[in-house]
Amino acid sequence: MASDIVAQLADSLAKTGVEDGELSYKGQGRKLDDAQSVEEIVKEIQDFEGLQALRLEGNTVGVEAAQAIAKALETKSDFKVCRCYWSDMFTGRLRSEIPPALNSLGDALMLAGARLTVLDLSDNAFGPDGVKGIENLLKSTACFTLQELRLNNCGMGIGGGKILAASLTHCHKKSSAEASPLSLKVFVAGRNRLENDGATALAQAFQLMGSLEEVHMPQNGINHAGITALASAMQQNKALRILNLNDNTFTEKGAIAMAQALKHLASVQVINFGDCLVRPAGAKAIAETVSEGLPILKELNLSYGEITEEAALAVAQSVKGKDKLEKLDLNGNCLGEDGCVALKDAMESLNMGEILGTLSDDEGEPEDDEDEDEDDDEEDLEDVDEEELEEEEEEEEEEEEEHSTSKFLIIFLTVTDALLRKAYSTPSFQGCSFVSSLLVLLGLIKSEDKVKPVLVVPGHLHALEHVVQQDYFPEQSVAVLEAFMSRNNKILESCGNARITLQTTLQRVKSES
């Protein structure tokens, strides 16, 4: 009999984790639509003494279910120093359901007098409206004690980033007035399409707080303007240990600004600027900073940055004497075969060969000075008239090329129509994946699988302009394409009028839908 009771207790604990004041329903895949579906959870919350953490991640919670859970939380006067792990909590829900669900849960925390230390809402894809759902919570006394804010892969966009920044700023000012300033330590917001404006807004909040120890903002479409703003903010966060800005576009300007900021941050242990296009000048600036400081650096990632052999060797020399260094990643750059050998030899000479990561994805030596800025190229031209003449000749050649391929384009459009109409009429066809792949090939977004974009010519955009006007092409796909095409993307500048025509058509089709 006793063994049966123990077995039942073990089974219960396996289903509902109870450890160190933590009530967990993590990864149970429950579909919680209404109050009835959460009766068991509500009772367990009510009966739990000393509740400190609630894990709901890996379930799907509807509005009514969230309201029922919220009512149970309102009564938890002992829910003081608490942690909320609510990532991946709205799978399959309409986006319109998420803000009211979050509002209910946030209001409950405020009514209970909670003092949050961890709030994790990652992988919920709730967009700017979802940020509005936690806006009041972030501004409230419940978040005066917040130490970790995790919002990875939430699709916040620029608008959501600005709302988030304003909320954190408000919380800091309000908490400072009560002599308990918000001291956020960990901020995670990768894959959110924050871009320059969102990143710049958050940078202002970061600079105000000055308490960050970890910042993770990979894959956000931030270029040198946003990176420079973040660099200025990071300089004020003296305890910063980890800085992950992977897969944003620094260029030399952003990399140099970040290198200058790092000179003031002696506590940094991990730098991840992989796939950030730091280029040779940026890599050399970072190498100078590493050489002069960063005494406890453990990891340095400058992979896929168009770094050449000379710059890579400068980075190698910069880590000399860094006894704490565990990993140096320079894969996917432009060293060439001889450069890779030279880099390995340089690291071996420092007795640090085992620290250097693989170089298997090296791109080979650059064919020309592609890493130079366009501004520098223009300054090197001695004769402006000659430049204008060359541009005119290029335009004439482009016009001739477009004329000679016009007949082929008509045939191509006919075939394209037939193929896509057939594809979109097939139930198994994944339209969203098709559009995502299209954006990757056009160079408008980066692929997580390192798929490289094609060389885009005007004909590609003429074909796409035709396709988006057809009845088989979904309205939501038009909206996605219009959003990305409206950006000032230099990759498509060479297509001239074809790009402008496509943008105009997308805007018209979108407004008519």
Side-chain angles (χ1 to χ4, degrees), residues 227 230-238 240-245 250 254-273 278 282-283 285-295 297 299-302 322:
I227 295 298
L230 287 171
S232 178
M234 293 304 104
Q235 188 171 326
Q236 304 304 317
N237 288 263
K238 303 299 184 182
L240 189 70
R241 296 182 297 104
I242 300 175
L243 182 57
N244 176 8
L245 296 173
F250 282 42
I256 291 171
M258 195 60 73
Q260 290 299 315
L262 287 169
K263 290 183 177 181
H264 303 272
L265 301 171
S267 298
V268 169
Q269 298 177 23
V270 177
I271 297 173
N272 186 345
F273 296 162
V278 299
I286 293 169
E288 180 183 336
T289 296
V290 172
S291 178
E292 294 175 355
L294 304 180
L297 186 65
E299 295 184 20
L300 176 60
N301 184 347
L302 296 177
K322 303 296 178 186

Side-chain angles (χ1 to χ4, degrees), residues 268-465:
V268 169
Q269 298 177 23
V270 177
I271 297 173
N272 186 345
F273 296 162
D275 205 7
C276 286
L277 204 66
V278 299
R279 293 178 172 162
K284 289 178 180 179
I286 293 169
E288 180 183 336
T289 296
V290 172
S291 178
E292 294 175 355
L294 304 180
I296 57 174
L297 186 65
K298 291 183 178 180
E299 295 184 20
L300 176 60
N301 184 347
L302 296 177
S303 59
Y304 302 95
E306 292 190 359
I307 299 171
T308 55
E309 177 184 350
E310 181 184 1
L313 291 174
V315 173
Q317 288 300 318
S318 74
V319 301
K320 181 179 180 180
K322 303 296 178 186
D323 298 334
K324 302 293 183 180
L325 193 68
E326 299 172 358
K327 182 179 180 181
L328 173 62
D329 191 347
L330 288 167
N331 197 21
N333 283 300
C334 303
L335 310 184
E337 186 175 346
D338 291 342
C340 288
V341 172
L343 178 60
K344 291 177 181 178
D345 289 345
M347 291 299 290
E348 289 290 348
S349 69
L350 298 173
N351 294 320
M352 302 176 79
E354 73 284 355
I355 292 173
L356 180 65
T358 179
L359 300 175
S360 59
D361 289 343
D362 187 74
E363 296 286 343
E365 294 183 51
E367 295 180 2
D368 49 35
D369 296 331
E370 292 178 353
D371 58 320
E372 292 184 3
D373 285 340
E374 291 181 5
D375 293 339
D376 294 336
D377 293 338
E378 292 175 2
E379 290 173 2
D380 291 339
L381 293 173
E382 297 179 356
D383 193 309
V384 176
D385 292 334
E386 183 179 336
E387 178 186 340
E388 292 176 352
L389 179 60
E390 289 176 357
E391 289 178 353
E392 289 175 4
E393 290 174 352
E394 288 176 1
E395 289 175 2
E396 290 174 2
E397 290 175 1
E398 183 178 312
E399 290 174 1
E400 291 175 2
E401 184 179 344
E402 290 182 7
H403 179 71
S404 65
T405 58
S406 60
K407 291 183 179 180
F408 173 76
L409 182 58
I410 294 172
I411 299 172
F412 177 73
L413 291 178
T414 303
V415 175
T416 300
D417 262 345
L419 290 173
L420 286 179
R421 191 176 296 277
K422 176 70 173 177
Y424 274 105
S425 64
T426 304
S428 59
F429 182 66
Q430 298 181 351
C432 291
S433 296
F434 169 73
V435 173
S436 295
S437 299
L438 185 62
L439 292 171
V440 169
L441 293 173
L442 289 172
L444 295 173
I445 61 174
K446 291 187 177 181
S447 169
E448 295 180 6
D449 300 322
K450 304 299 180 185
V451 175
K452 294 185 177 180
V454 299
L455 176 62
V456 182
V457 298
H460 290 129
L461 303 191
H462 287 313
L464 188 54
E465 183 207 357

Side-chain angles (χ1 to χ4, degrees), residues 123-281:
D123 300 318
N124 279 313
F126 47 47
D129 290 341
V131 185
K132 292 178 182 177
I134 59 172
E135 184 177 5
N136 290 336
L137 174 63
L138 290 173
K139 290 179 177 180
S140 73
T141 56
C143 286
F144 283 9
T145 51
L146 192 63
Q147 295 182 13
E148 296 184 21
L149 179 58
R150 300 178 182 271
L151 296 167
N152 199 57
N153 192 30
C154 287
M156 290 189 289
I158 295 172
K162 289 182 176 180
I163 295 169
L164 177 61
S167 300
L168 292 173
T169 299
H170 179 92
C171 183
H172 183 269
K173 290 181 178 179
K174 190 175 177 182
S175 58
S176 296
E178 297 187 16
S180 57
L182 170 65
S183 298
L184 191 67
K185 290 181 171 57
V186 178
F187 180 82
V188 181
R191 301 185 66 183
N192 271 291
R193 307 193 310 274
L194 294 171
E195 301 183 19
N196 284 342
D197 289 347
T200 299
L202 285 166
Q204 293 172 354
F206 297 163
Q207 187 159 342
L208 187 65
M209 290 185 290
S211 57
L212 289 167
E213 296 179 9
E214 295 185 27
V215 174
H216 303 263
M217 296 175 65
Q219 203 172 350
N220 268 297
I222 309 169
N223 66 29
H224 70 83
I227 295 298
T228 300
L230 287 171
S232 178
M234 293 304 104
Q235 188 171 326
Q236 304 304 317
N237 288 263
K238 303 299 184 182
L240 189 70
R241 296 182 297 104
I242 300 175
L243 182 57
N244 176 8
L245 296 173
N246 186 281
D247 201 3
N248 290 290
T249 308
F250 282 42
T251 68
E252 296 93 329
K253 294 179 181 178
I256 291 171
M258 195 60 73
Q260 290 299 315
L262 287 169
K263 290 183 177 181
H264 303 272
L265 301 171
S267 298
V268 169
Q269 298 177 23
V270 177
I271 297 173
N272 186 345
F273 296 162
D275 205 7
C276 286
L277 204 66
V278 299
R279 293 178 172 162

